[in-house]
Amino acid sequence: MILATAETGTGEFGFSDADFRDLARLARAEYGLSLADSKKPLVYSRLARRLRARGVEKFQDYMALLNDDAEADERLELITALTTNVTSFFRERHHFDMLASELLPDCGHHGRIRLWSAGCSSGQEAYSIAMTLRDSLADIDRRDVRVLATDIDPAIVRRAQNGRYPKEEQSAIPAHLSRQFTRRCNSDPDHFEMTDDVGKLVTFAELNLMTTWPFRGPFDGIFCRNVAIYFDQDTQQKLWTRFAEMLRPGGYLFIGHSERVSGPATASFRSVGVTAYRKIVPSEQSTTKGRET
């Protein structure tokens, strides 16, 4: 494929700097995505297939589609094309160890436990949380324990709800958890699936993090890992603040390995591990005020 050049916009469809800026404005306004000028060739290569699929001859016409209120599905195709759903079971294992060793004991014997996988992709993170809960809480069936898992992409949410994965992904699950909470998929021997007692803990839903959230919390823990990397600093800082408002005092926030809480939200959190933060409880506020994490 011949990629568009920055100045002339040459290529199969023509992609001028003005076209890129229009697309970048829409992506930021609708989804919080930050598209640097250096991403122009990548954006072209990923969206060219959408123009072919829609029979569109130039990016200006594709922008007209995206701005059409009747084209909500195409705007979701846009977000799918511009982001990467890369995930695995128990990715960044230290977060799940902290969930078991610190967050859950911190909940004590409270009957209600709420965790949120924000940007859950195809579900491996949410099911890893659920398996950790099952393994750690002997009395889980007598408690009100739920995992909310959300993603902006409806197709990826449906895949997550299915709870079925290629066999090669199973090796990432600790052996004792795999024996208890996965089973062979009878309809497809090359896949495995989650057991019902894990699946019933998780509720999947579509959600754009840039819009109003249709729930109040509070959550005991939020996993939002490798999502904020797509946002500019201002959008990231607003997201950290919204997460702080959704967490109970003492609740935990787990973020991606290249992400850091910054801005006003640093007054609400203290660092408790590698890319792990705990919301400050009122009694700690005076001693941690203004601390940067």
Side-chain angles (χ1 to χ4, degrees):
M1 179 185 297
I2 301 174
L3 298 183
T5 63
E7 294 302 323
T8 64
T10 59
E12 180 182 352
F13 299 104
F15 190 34
S16 69
D17 288 346
D19 293 333
F20 178 77
R21 287 193 294 270
D22 286 345
L23 183 66
R25 278 193 291 269
L26 183 146
R28 189 183 192 285
E30 292 287 329
Y31 311 113
L33 299 184
S34 178
L35 298 177
D37 291 345
S38 60
K39 297 289 183 67
K40 183 182 175 184
L42 176 65
V43 170
Y44 179 94
S45 65
R46 290 191 174 187
L47 291 185
R49 69 194 71 171
R50 291 306 310 156
L51 273 71
R52 295 188 198 103
R54 296 302 306 268
V56 174
E57 296 183 355
K58 55 185 178 179
F59 268 88
Q60 289 178 342
D61 293 338
Y62 184 64
M63 286 299 302
L65 278 178
L66 294 174
N67 286 308
D68 186 339
D69 290 341
E71 290 287 348
D73 288 346
E74 188 57 45
R75 290 191 291 275
L76 290 174
E77 293 286 355
L78 171 70
I79 193 70
T80 299
L82 294 181
T83 58
T84 304
N85 288 301
V86 176
T87 187
S88 61
F89 288 99
F90 291 91
R91 187 182 188 187
E92 298 179 57
R93 176 65 184 271
H94 56 279
H95 286 160
F96 300 97
D97 293 340
M98 184 171 286
L99 169 62
S101 65
E102 297 186 32
L103 190 158
L104 293 179
D106 191 52
C107 291
H109 296 290
H110 297 161
R112 180 187 184 279
I113 297 175
R114 291 291 185 271
L115 299 169
W116 179 15
S117 171
C120 66
S121 188
S122 46
Q124 290 92 329
E125 177 179 87
Y127 290 125
S128 297
I129 294 170
M131 284 187 277
T132 302
L133 290 169
R134 279 278 173 200
D135 187 54
S136 303
L137 299 173
D139 61 345
I140 190 170
D141 289 321
R142 298 193 297 273
R143 302 171 74 168
D144 181 12
V145 180
R146 299 297 302 170
V147 179
L148 172 65
T150 65
D151 199 276
I152 194 172
D153 186 341
I156 208 75
V157 169
R158 288 193 294 271
R159 193 186 311 170
Q161 288 173 320
N162 194 37
R164 185 177 299 169
Y165 301 95
K167 284 177 64 176
E168 54 265 27
E169 293 192 33
Q170 197 164 10
S171 61
I173 303 174
H176 73 288
L177 299 181
S178 182
R179 287 193 296 270
Q180 293 182 75
F181 304 124
T182 72
R183 63 192 176 204
R184 181 179 179 182
C185 181
N186 290 330
S187 60
D188 185 350
D190 293 328
H191 287 69
F192 71 96
E193 59 188 9
M194 310 311 300
T195 60
D196 294 342
D197 55 354
V198 168
K200 72 181 182 182
L201 293 178
V202 186
T203 299
F204 289 98
E206 297 171 32
L207 181 68
N208 181 348
L209 289 174
M210 296 299 105
T211 62
T212 301
W213 298 345
F215 42 78
R216 297 180 180 179
F219 290 95
D220 298 283
I222 297 174
F223 287 69
C224 187
R225 306 184 303 169
N226 305 306
V227 174
I229 56 174
Y230 293 105
F231 306 149
D232 62 25
Q233 187 176 56
D234 181 61
T235 303
Q236 288 182 17
Q237 292 181 359
K238 290 177 181 177
L239 184 63
W240 306 140
T241 297
R242 294 182 75 187
F243 283 150
E245 293 169 351
M246 277 288 171
L247 284 166
R248 64 165 175 81
Y252 288 71
L253 173 65
F254 303 102
I255 63 178
H257 68 276
S258 62
E259 299 166 340
R260 298 293 182 271
V261 169
S262 61
T266 59
S268 299
F269 289 108
R270 63 182 178 90
S271 177
V272 291
V274 179
T275 55
Y277 298 83
R278 187 170 181 264
K279 185 176 177 180
I280 296 168
V281 300
S283 61
E284 300 170 331
Q285 197 74 41
S286 61
T287 59
T288 57
K289 186 176 181 180
R291 177 186 297 173
E292 293 291 327
T293 52

